[in-house]
Amino acid sequence: MKLTLIAGARPNFIKIAPVINAINHAKSGGHKIQYRLVHTGQHYDSTMSETFFKELNIPEPDINLGCGSGTQAEQTAAIMIAFEKELIANPTDLVVVVGDVTSTMACSIVAKKLNTKVAHIEAGIRSYDLTMPEEINRMVTDCLADYFFTTTKWAGKNLKAMGVNDNRIFFVGNVMIDTLLSNQNRFKKPALWEEFNLKEKSYLLMTLHRPANVDAGNKLKSYINEILTNVHGLPVIFPIHPRTAKIFSELGISEPNLKITSPLSYLEFNYLVERAKAVVTDSGGITEETTVMGVPCFTLRDNTERPETIEIGTNELIGTNPSAIKPALEKLFAGQWKRGNIPELWDGKSADRIVGQLIEIFN
Ligand code: UD1
């Protein structure tokens, strides 16, 4: 079996790492599997890419397509042009895409147009919000893919509702949680822990990067004001995504409690998540990680493609009106945040299930 694995942006690296480990494990058990790792170059800063490869022991990509910044269309087009050349030069049995970033969609289109089968890991989740580029990426990818690996039964239902046959849907759990569980004992205290004199459960951790939240600077400013006003003087750690950094620098915000830092590595970031009093975010993946670590999380979005983090986990969708922040923090400080449980099959073995299934299909 010959596979081409696609990874382009930060969350992809976290999801592809356990798949590579599972392939290597199957190979050492005598299965004949070859793979080629393609980095599209969507994320290119070393703090957004290289650090993740190093920490998670992901092998050097066989090729980096070097498709960095640009508008949605520019990025999609650049990845498609470069990946078409790559796939013609290196044909494969199956292209494996993960998640919902632009690289996921662009490579799926190219593969199908070259009559190559596609497997989508984290298939079937939906926010039903077409203003998010990720939702379009998910929908297009799931229209084209041949095999669907899902994190929840709900995702499988969504796929069935769009006509996907049951025998192509495999409920395997969550590869992002494979990475979390296998690295939890390696989490690394970042230098800022001492620098900011942090104490367990006595700080908030915040990440914001969605265009709807950060591209209009006033919105970002209101969020920050509301949080700082209602956080009882605790420090708020804000590792800042390159998209947000550009806008933030123009806002001229300087508050002693707001601790800005560049994007942290995987092991350092999750060290902070595990010990935070709460996490404020607009990321989807982080709501899964806080759920598994039992950390209160509030999401500054009006919808989520990961409802299990709310129904089962520790996440609450508080919306995008900054006035929702005060009551959420009051609830947190009153000790009334829900405890949450861990969704089914988020057990660290999802990538083994995926590779096992692929072996059954292709051998
Ligand atoms: C992308 C994904 C999003 C994911 C996020 C995690 C899409 C549509 N979105 O969003 O789902 O949650 O990654 O980080 O694929 N930039 C840099 N350096 C980098 C990467 C990006 O400066 O290493 C800049 C880009 O030039 C661009 C901005 O950051 O101006 C946004 O990058 P882009 O890859 O378009 O999307 P993200 O917001 O990172």
Side-chain angles (χ1 to χ4, degrees):
M1 174 167 60
K2 224 166 149 185
L3 307 175
T4 294
L5 311 177
I6 308 295
R10 185 168 59 176
N12 281 179
F13 310 139
I14 301 163
K15 290 169 197 172
I16 211 72
V19 177
I20 293 174
N21 290 340
I23 291 173
N24 289 336
H25 190 228
K27 277 166 83 169
S28 62
H31 291 284
K32 285 199 181 125
I33 311 178
Q34 283 177 43
Y35 75 87
R36 191 168 160 79
L37 178 59
V38 175
H39 188 326
T40 64
Q42 182 178 339
H43 281 176
Y44 47 86
D45 285 355
S46 71
T47 56
M48 300 290 285
S49 174
E50 205 184 317
T51 317
F52 288 78
F53 277 75
K54 281 200 189 124
E55 276 194 344
L56 301 177
N57 295 318
I58 306 170
E60 280 282 306
D62 293 283
I63 187 169
N64 188 320
L65 304 179
C67 306
S69 300
T71 64
Q72 290 290 315
E74 284 165 349
Q75 232 177 29
T76 306
I79 296 168
M80 285 181 69
I81 292 166
F83 184 57
E84 185 179 54
K85 290 197 179 95
E86 152 65 25
L87 196 53
I88 289 170
N90 298 286
T92 184
D93 295 324
L94 180 73
V95 171
V96 178
V97 296
V98 294
D100 56 14
V101 304
T102 302
S103 304
T104 310
M105 175 187 73
C107 293
S108 302
I109 298 173
V110 169
K112 290 312 295 175
K113 292 216 170 198
L114 289 173
N115 279 328
T116 305
K117 291 208 172 345
V118 170
H120 184 200
I121 297 179
E122 200 187 273
I125 61 176
R126 293 288 182 274
S127 67
Y128 302 105
D129 175 359
L130 285 169
T131 64
M132 287 176 68
E134 292 82 356
E135 183 67 2
I136 297 172
N137 297 339
R138 290 179 203 116
M139 289 170 67
V140 174
T141 305
D142 286 342
C143 273
L144 296 173
D146 299 275
Y147 308 107
F148 302 83
F149 294 102
T150 61
T151 49
T152 60
K153 288 182 178 153
W154 174 74
K157 281 188 194 148
N158 293 336
L159 292 167
K160 277 181 230 168
M162 55 179 271
V164 177
N165 201 310
D166 230 354
N167 62 7
R168 293 195 288 141
I169 303 171
F170 307 98
F171 171 41
V172 290
N174 192 329
V175 286
M176 200 152 190
I177 302 309
D178 288 10
T179 299
L180 184 75
L181 296 177
S182 64
N183 287 286
Q184 202 162 10
N185 60 3
R186 300 175 60 223
F187 290 170
K188 217 161 60 192
K189 189 193 280 189
L192 62 79
W193 185 273
E194 312 291 350
E195 186 190 335
F196 300 145
N197 195 20
L198 299 183
K199 306 248 172 338
E200 285 202 22
K201 305 295 165 194
S202 301
Y203 60 90
L204 243 57
L205 182 62
M206 175 163 84
T207 81
L208 292 173
H209 75 280
R210 301 237 167 247
N213 276 335
V214 302
D215 285 5
N218 286 345
K219 184 86 171 220
L220 182 58
K221 208 168 181 172
S222 309
Y223 284 148
I224 291 172
N225 282 341
E226 280 299 313
I227 291 171
L228 292 177
T229 312
N230 295 290
V231 76
H232 295 228
L234 295 187
V236 178
I237 314 302
F238 189 17
I240 198 157
H241 184 283
R243 166 192 283 285
T244 316
K246 283 179 203 161
I247 294 139
F248 185 82
S249 63
E250 288 156 19
L251 295 178
I253 302 175
S254 166
E255 297 280 350
N257 284 356
L258 183 64
K259 312 291 189 190
I260 305 292
T261 160
S262 49
L264 294 169
S265 75
Y266 180 81
L267 297 177
E268 292 182 335
F269 181 74
N270 281 293
Y271 183 97
L272 290 185
V273 173
E274 197 176 26
R275 290 158 182 81
K277 182 159 184 72
V279 173
V280 184
T281 191
D282 59 6
S283 152
I286 292 172
T287 66
E288 297 178 338
E289 292 164 337
T290 48
T291 281
V292 170
M293 289 192 266
V295 175
C297 177
F298 31 115
T299 295
L300 298 179
R301 285 176 52 190
D302 295 317
N303 49 56
T304 176
E305 61 289 335
R306 292 164 165 92
E308 66 282 2
T309 63
I310 295 167
E311 288 153 14
I312 303 172
T314 51
N315 183 25
E316 269 196 34
L317 207 54
I318 70 159
T320 51
N321 188 333
S323 67
I325 289 174
K326 183 171 189 237
L329 282 173
E330 280 171 356
K331 190 164 152 186
L332 177 73
F333 283 99
Q336 286 166 355
W337 207 268
K338 59 184 169 177
R339 298 218 173 269
N341 284 304
I342 297 178
E344 192 182 349
L345 295 189
W346 291 20
D347 58 0
K349 297 178 188 141
S350 303
D352 285 333
R353 291 187 194 103
I354 292 170
V355 173
Q357 197 58 60
L358 290 178
I359 291 169
E360 248 180 61
I361 296 169
F362 284 87
N363 282 350

